[in-house]
């Protein structure tokens, strides 16, 4: 293998790493796979799949826009908010955006442990920690691109003003280096004490190939119940 071929192979590995560990088949079962580094070592636990919220229910409430710059402080504020469905959605969206966005320097373990339920599977917690550290090391600047539309849908357990669980699916544009693609993130939250906590997480699962047009985001959505987030 010559020098140029080896360099191309490393670049391909990094792009796969940045654009999510699994390709979304559209059937709710993205192909989770551990992420290799250029030396061929496995460093990231399998990506938990972003299962679709097939039982999404309709509502006229609109969550807050994606943050201009995701922050752990804002996500914590959303966790401490009110008990209704909209507050749960805002927290879940903020958490999902924060996990995708690795540009913030933070103590990922402390932040994650402050925001997750003890019921979150240990392997998912490990993914949230290791994925962040690896993306920071790669310098991918991975984040959600706010120049493109984003959509959300959710289902609830219990009454809308005080649900016991809210299952949220976020579809947005995932960017790293100069590559962009539509991705889905699944964040299920429950109320523990006076806070929202993450009980299940999946993604970011990439839908299709590199993004070319803004309209491709909405065109990629499957199923009912999707609502656009404000710009």
């Amino acid at each position: 293998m010559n020098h140029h071929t080896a360099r191309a192979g490393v670049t391909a590995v990094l792009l796969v790493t940045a654009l999510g560990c699994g390709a979304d088949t559209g059937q709710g079962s993205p192909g989770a796979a551990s992420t290799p580094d250029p030396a061929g070592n496995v460093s990231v636990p399998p990506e938990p799949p972003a299962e679709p919220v097939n039982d999404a229910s309709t509502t006229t409430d609109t969550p807050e826009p994606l943050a201009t710059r995701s922050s752990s402080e804002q996500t914590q504020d959303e966790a401490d908010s009110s008990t209704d469905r909209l507050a749960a959605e805002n927290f879940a969206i903020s958490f999902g955006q924060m996990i995708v966005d690795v540009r913030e320097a933070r103590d990922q373990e402390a932040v994650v442990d402050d925001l997750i339920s003890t019921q979150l599977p240990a392997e998912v917690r490990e993914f949230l920690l290791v994925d962040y550290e690896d993306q920071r090391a790669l310098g991918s600047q991975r984040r959600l691109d706010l120049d493109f539309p984003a959509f959300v849908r959710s289902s609830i357990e219990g009454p809308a003003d005080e649900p016991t669980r809210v299952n949220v699916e976020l579809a947005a544009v995932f960017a790293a280096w100069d590559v962009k693609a539509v991705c889905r993130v699944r964040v299920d939250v429950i109320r523990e004490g006076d806070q929202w906590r993450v009980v299940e997480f999946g993604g970011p699962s990439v839908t299709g190939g590199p993004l070319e047009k803004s309209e491709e985001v909405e065109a990629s959505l499957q199923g009912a119940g999707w609502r656009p987030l404000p710009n």
Side-chain angles (χ1 to χ4, degrees):
M1 181 182 295
N2 63 36
H3 172 75
H4 294 293
T5 302
R7 183 177 180 84
V10 169
T11 301
V13 166
L14 296 181
L15 291 176
V16 169
T17 302
L19 287 175
C21 302
D24 193 334
T25 64
Q27 303 301 314
S29 300
S34 297
T35 302
D37 66 19
N41 300 314
V42 173
S43 57
V44 182
E47 174 201 297
E51 300 288 352
V53 180
N54 290 321
D55 58 346
S57 57
T58 58
T59 175
T60 57
D61 291 333
T62 303
E64 298 170 2
L66 293 172
T68 302
R69 181 103 176 189
S70 175
S71 74
S72 52
E73 289 82 3
Q74 176 180 331
T75 306
Q76 184 64 65
D77 288 344
E78 299 289 0
D80 296 333
S81 59
S82 60
T83 62
D84 57 271
R85 174 183 184 168
L86 186 59
E89 288 182 338
N90 283 328
F91 167 61
I93 293 167
S94 183
F95 184 88
Q97 183 182 11
M98 182 193 70
I99 292 302
V100 173
D101 193 337
V102 299
R103 294 173 296 173
E104 178 190 37
R106 59 180 178 256
D107 182 340
Q108 183 78 342
E109 183 171 15
V111 170
V112 165
D113 286 346
D114 280 346
L115 297 171
I116 63 172
S117 167
T118 56
Q119 299 177 50
L120 185 79
E123 61 271 21
V124 177
R125 175 185 177 274
E126 182 68 9
F127 174 82
L128 297 176
L129 302 183
V130 179
D131 173 67
Y132 170 80
E133 297 298 338
D134 274 20
Q135 290 296 324
R136 292 281 293 177
L138 287 169
S140 70
Q141 295 289 298
R142 194 182 69 184
R143 73 274 182 199
L144 294 181
D145 192 324
L146 274 61
D147 290 334
F148 293 85
F151 297 83
V152 67
R153 63 178 176 174
S154 70
S155 65
I156 65 172
E157 297 178 11
D161 60 344
E162 199 168 346
T164 56
R165 178 173 177 140
V166 182
N167 306 321
V168 179
E169 185 180 0
L170 172 67
V173 171
F174 177 105
W177 291 295
D178 59 351
V179 179
K180 298 177 183 180
V182 179
C183 78
R184 295 183 305 108
V185 179
R186 172 74 180 262
V187 186
D188 295 359
V189 303
I190 59 175
R191 195 75 179 175
E192 289 186 349
D194 58 356
Q195 288 188 322
W196 291 107
R197 297 291 181 115
V198 176
V199 68
E200 290 287 351
F201 179 90
S205 296
V206 174
T207 302
L211 186 73
E212 295 183 359
K213 298 179 181 179
S214 181
E215 293 79 8
E216 293 178 38
V217 183
E218 187 168 8
S220 72
L221 303 180
Q222 298 185 16
W226 291 102
R227 289 167 284 151
L229 293 182
N231 294 328

